[in-house]
């Protein structure tokens, strides 16, 4: 049900674009059975919100290549089983040579097969199919611009969902280290590793948001807000990766029976507060509190606790390495809070 709810607007966009593409190609351009137009409209939009303009371009160019190659090759060697193999190989080879996108060779080969099996070489229907693909692709982009998905909302929710997950995992990790529970630490690591799909979704939503913010005049006013959220995508990704490294280091310590210093356990627990305030920042309206400055102040207070002198009392090098990883994670979180990397690193040097 959640997947369906998130896909309702993309489905509606595809449905509207398909109907409009058929209407334009059939009633306005007077093409016979212009099935390529609605197919192109749906393929250019799809349920994925990212790279729609590229999909449209790949589709139109791929169809054109397939029809051109099919027309030339079939007119020279005739049609039949081996001729279809030849025309598919030539069309796909041409498409791969021109571009690395996956849709281009697929469309080129399918259009070439259409020419090799149903459309006589030189037939005007082949040209009409290319026009239909162009119509469908353009209408898909038009519908995506005029009936857009809010580019900011999806990215905010995706980022907030990740931060919410790692707020809980930070507290679970601290509790597991406090109890020296190897199995509990391992469970935290498994959960952290299972978040990669959420990270991929965030990156896709940010990319889609940029496209919508560029193409749709309805959301030109949201570009600054979107740029702010987009700037956090890579730091959140890095923070997630560093959290996994921290958890792996903690697991190795618990497996060897090495007790982790209480100060480091406290820092792990503080990470939960950091992830929570960053989650609130993501969901806050522009100008509302908390903002990135509030989050940065909280993170700086934790950075002061994670001073390098904590390693002076540890006997195991792996525990010192755990402190290093925690400090690296704090750099990523400072960047999520809006600091540049050099400024974030400088905060560590101020608190040794």
């Amino acid at each position: 049900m959640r997947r369906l709810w998130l896909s309702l607007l993309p489905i509606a966009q595809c449905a509207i674009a398909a109907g409009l593409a058929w209407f334009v190609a059939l009633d306005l351009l007077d093409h016979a059975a212009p099935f390529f137009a609605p197919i192109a409209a749906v393929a250019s939009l799809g349920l994925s919100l990212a790279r729609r303009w590229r999909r449209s371009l790949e589709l139109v160019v791929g169809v054109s290549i397939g029809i051109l190659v099919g027309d030339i090759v079939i007119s020279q060697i005739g049609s039949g089983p081996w001729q279809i193999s030849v025309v598919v190989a030539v069309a796909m080879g041409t498409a791969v040579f021109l571009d690395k996108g996956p849709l281009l060779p697929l469309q080129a080969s399918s259009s070439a097969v259409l020419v090799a099996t149903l459309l006589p070489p030189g037939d005007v229907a082949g040209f009409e199919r290319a026009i239909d693909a162009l119509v469908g692709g353009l209408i898909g982009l038009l519908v995506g611009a005029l009936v857009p998905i809010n580019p900011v909302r999806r990215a905010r929710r995706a980022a907030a969902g990740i931060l919410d997950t790692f707020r809980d995992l930070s507290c679970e990790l601290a509790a597991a280290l406090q109890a020296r529970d190897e199995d509990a630490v391992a469970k935290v690591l498994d959960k952290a590793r299972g978040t990669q799909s959420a990270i991929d979704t965030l990156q896709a939503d940010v990319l889609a948001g940029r496209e919508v913010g560029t193409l749709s005049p309805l959301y030109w006013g949201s570009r600054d807000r979107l740029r702010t959220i987009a700037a956090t995508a890579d730091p959140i990704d890095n923070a997630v990766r560093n959290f996994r490294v921290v958890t792996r280091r903690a697991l190795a310590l618990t497996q060897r029976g090495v007790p982790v210093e209480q100060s480091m356990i406290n820092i792990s627990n503080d990470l939960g507060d950091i992830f929570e305030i960053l989650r609130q920042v993501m969901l806050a309206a522009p100008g509302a509190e908390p903002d990135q400055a509030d989050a940065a102040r909280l993170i700086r207070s934790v950075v002061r606790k994670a001073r390098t002198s904590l390693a002076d009392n540890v006997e195991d090098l792996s525990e010192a390495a755990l402190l290093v990883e925690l400090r690296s994670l704090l750099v990523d979180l400072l960047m999520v809070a809006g600091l540049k990397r050099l400024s974030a690193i400088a905060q560590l040097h101020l608190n040794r």
Side-chain angles (χ1 to χ4, degrees), residues 4-338:
L4 178 60
W5 174 254
L6 293 175
S7 301
L8 284 179
L9 188 50
I11 290 172
Q13 289 177 327
C14 290
I16 294 170
L20 282 176
W22 178 267
F23 169 74
V24 170
L26 181 67
D27 295 339
L28 300 186
L29 300 181
D30 199 27
H31 289 178
F35 57 87
F36 253 111
I39 288 175
V42 172
S44 65
L45 289 172
L47 295 182
S48 174
L49 304 180
R51 302 188 184 279
R52 285 180 161 183
W53 66 270
R54 180 176 177 84
R55 289 203 300 271
S56 297
L57 181 62
E58 287 183 0
L59 190 142
V60 173
V61 174
V63 169
S64 301
I65 290 173
I67 291 173
L68 178 63
V69 169
D71 199 289
I72 293 174
V73 174
I74 295 300
S75 64
Q76 298 298 318
I77 65 176
S79 59
W82 70 269
Q83 288 92 337
I84 291 177
S85 298
V86 171
V87 78
V88 167
V90 174
M92 294 189 75
T94 303
V96 169
F97 176 79
L98 292 175
D99 188 77
K100 63 181 180 180
L103 188 59
L104 195 67
L106 178 63
Q107 290 298 326
S109 61
S110 60
S111 299
V113 168
L114 181 66
V115 172
T117 56
L118 297 179
L119 302 179
D123 195 300
V124 70
F127 176 73
E128 288 185 354
R129 295 296 178 262
I131 298 299
D132 291 343
L134 177 61
V135 167
L138 291 177
I139 287 179
L141 290 179
L142 181 64
V143 169
L146 298 181
V147 190
I149 290 171
N150 189 314
V152 175
R153 183 183 300 144
R154 289 181 69 101
R156 286 169 58 197
R157 288 179 176 176
I162 294 169
L163 295 168
D164 181 72
T165 297
F166 281 88
R167 174 201 62 196
D168 296 341
L169 290 181
S170 298
C171 297
E172 290 176 19
L173 177 60
L177 290 175
Q178 189 75 56
R180 302 184 189 180
D181 188 335
E182 176 185 333
D183 291 337
V185 176
K187 288 179 181 178
V188 171
L189 181 57
D190 287 341
K191 291 178 182 178
R193 285 171 171 167
T195 58
Q196 189 57 48
S197 61
I199 294 292
D200 295 339
T201 298
L202 171 61
Q203 298 283 9
D205 285 342
V206 166
L207 181 58
R210 285 174 174 168
E211 290 185 4
V212 173
T214 300
L215 296 175
S216 176
L218 299 177
Y219 287 108
W220 285 348
S222 301
R223 290 177 180 176
D224 290 340
R225 174 71 164 154
L226 184 60
R227 275 193 290 268
T228 300
I229 296 174
T232 67
D234 286 339
I236 288 176
D237 187 3
N238 292 335
V240 167
R241 296 175 189 275
N242 264 330
F243 184 89
R244 294 172 188 154
V245 174
V246 167
T247 309
R248 283 200 299 272
R249 186 74 66 181
L251 179 61
L253 287 169
T254 54
Q255 286 174 335
R256 290 165 41 217
V258 177
V260 176
E261 286 288 325
Q262 185 63 46
S263 56
M264 295 190 198
I265 296 175
N266 293 340
I267 292 171
S268 177
N269 196 58
D270 290 338
L271 290 176
D273 295 332
I274 294 175
F275 281 116
E276 171 58 20
I277 194 172
L278 289 173
R279 185 191 71 84
Q280 294 176 18
V281 169
M282 286 296 170
L283 296 178
E289 295 182 350
D291 57 16
Q292 287 186 312
D294 296 323
R297 281 192 290 273
L298 175 60
I299 300 171
R300 289 190 185 99
S301 70
V302 179
V303 169
R304 287 192 288 271
K305 298 179 182 180
R307 58 192 182 278
T308 55
S309 58
L310 292 180
D312 296 343
N313 300 323
V314 302
E315 298 179 359
D316 194 291
L317 288 178
S318 293
E319 194 172 1
L322 175 62
L323 176 62
V324 172
E325 300 297 347
L326 285 169
R327 288 167 61 86
S328 179
L329 174 55
L330 289 169
V331 169
D332 295 326
L333 295 175
L334 282 168
M335 293 177 66
V336 176

